[in-house]
Amino acid sequence: MVSRYLCENGMRDIAAEMSSKKFFEHLCKMPEDPGPTQMDVDQWRTLLWVQALGPKYQFFAREAYDIFKTKTMSNFKLSRDVENMLLDLRKHYKLGLITNGSSKAQWAKVESIDGKQYFDVILVGGDYNQGKPHATIFEKAFQALDVSPKDCIMVGDNLWSDIFGGIQAGVMATVWIVRNEDGYKELDYQPDYKLRNICELLDLLPAQGSFSGLRTKRSFEFYSPVYSS
């Protein structure tokens, strides 16, 4: 979308594509202002577009960022299966969401999916001094949910922030939603369970809302639900 806008306003196709590529590279490396002033996330990401576009085209930065942000938020949706899974789980469990990132950007995402209908507690790392994997934000979640770490499991797709963070926080078990397995077996910590699809949680967790039947076992294998015929 941004590349098309740039081309329509006089940039050559290759230059537009390269500028977009540079922006995403900058964004992956520094999604937030690393400096002591902690610039507003919108200002910071507009500045990343300025850097990506270069002096000749930097006047497109504001519009480029607005297009990028609008497109990103419009694509940030839960699938119907995930929505149903969360609503089903919430009938039996307390659900908490911990997300890293800037307060403004992450709360915008939470609001875009109407997150409060799915989670009892939502914590954004940007609202505190430390996010995942630091134990502090997990402890805040336990307190807000009024639960013990040993009565919780941590589910996430990031081995460092989610799985290591959960282990450090003392949760009963960790569940890794696998995107890419490269290198994980060499780590000195491992998830208790691996799922290919987050919706398999419905098969893994006891329906009665208790973890008493969930056996904790560290394994390199994927959890495979067993269905009766």
Side-chain angles (χ1 to χ4, degrees):
M1 293 290 290
V2 178
S3 293
R4 184 192 308 168
Y5 162 77
L6 294 173
C7 290
E8 289 174 351
N9 284 274
M11 283 188 74
R12 298 178 64 178
D13 290 356
I14 295 177
E17 291 175 8
M18 287 301 298
S19 293
S20 296
K21 182 180 179 181
K22 286 180 181 178
F23 169 77
F24 283 106
E25 289 174 350
H26 293 332
L27 185 65
C28 288
K29 290 178 182 178
M30 295 180 293
E32 301 171 39
D33 182 3
T37 58
Q38 286 292 294
M39 185 185 299
D40 174 85
V41 66
D42 290 330
Q43 292 176 313
W44 174 249
R45 294 180 180 183
T46 300
L47 181 59
L48 294 183
W49 270 112
V50 169
Q51 296 173 0
L53 290 163
K56 185 175 180 180
Y57 296 105
Q58 64 180 6
F59 55 87
F60 287 135
R62 168 51 67 183
E63 187 64 25
Y65 174 65
D66 287 345
I67 294 171
F68 161 79
K69 181 179 178 180
T70 299
K71 182 65 175 177
T72 299
M73 295 309 300
S74 67
N75 289 336
F76 196 81
K77 298 177 181 178
L78 298 179
S79 70
R80 182 59 59 85
D81 287 344
V82 172
E83 289 179 344
N84 291 337
M85 177 201 69
L86 291 171
L87 292 172
D88 194 3
L89 288 175
R90 200 175 180 191
K91 296 175 184 176
H92 309 286
Y93 296 92
K94 293 180 180 180
L95 301 185
L97 172 65
I98 306 175
T99 178
N100 286 352
S102 78
S103 179
K104 184 175 182 178
Q106 297 307 98
W107 278 113
K109 293 177 183 177
V110 169
E111 290 171 5
S112 74
I113 62 168
D114 194 14
K116 291 183 179 180
Q117 71 171 310
Y118 306 114
F119 298 98
D120 299 283
V121 170
I122 300 173
L123 298 179
V124 175
D127 292 336
Y128 306 95
N129 292 330
Q130 292 166 316
K132 300 177 295 184
H134 199 277
T136 300
I137 198 163
F138 286 92
E139 291 165 0
K140 289 181 181 297
F142 301 146
Q143 292 169 5
L145 290 167
D146 191 24
V147 295
S148 163
K150 292 301 182 183
D151 293 325
C152 296
I153 65 170
M154 179 63 190
V155 181
D157 62 3
N158 188 295
L159 279 169
W160 172 246
S161 62
D162 298 325
I163 304 307
F164 179 72
I167 292 170
Q168 289 289 93
V171 299
M172 176 189 169
T174 56
V175 181
W176 181 34
I177 312 304
V178 180
R179 308 301 183 197
N180 188 319
E181 289 191 90
D182 291 349
Y184 100 93
K185 289 186 179 181
E186 286 70 43
L187 298 173
D188 57 4
Y189 57 91
Q190 298 291 327
D192 297 300
Y193 294 90
K194 298 192 303 179
L195 301 182
R196 292 183 175 87
N197 187 314
I198 193 171
C199 291
E200 291 174 342
L201 273 174
L202 289 173
D203 302 305
L204 175 64
L205 300 182
Q208 69 271 22
S210 169
F211 295 139
S212 58
L214 184 65
R215 291 188 301 123
T216 301
K217 56 178 183 179
R218 298 199 177 280
S219 171
F220 293 134
E221 302 303 320
F222 281 94
Y223 169 77
S224 297
V226 177
Y227 302 102
S228 58
S229 56

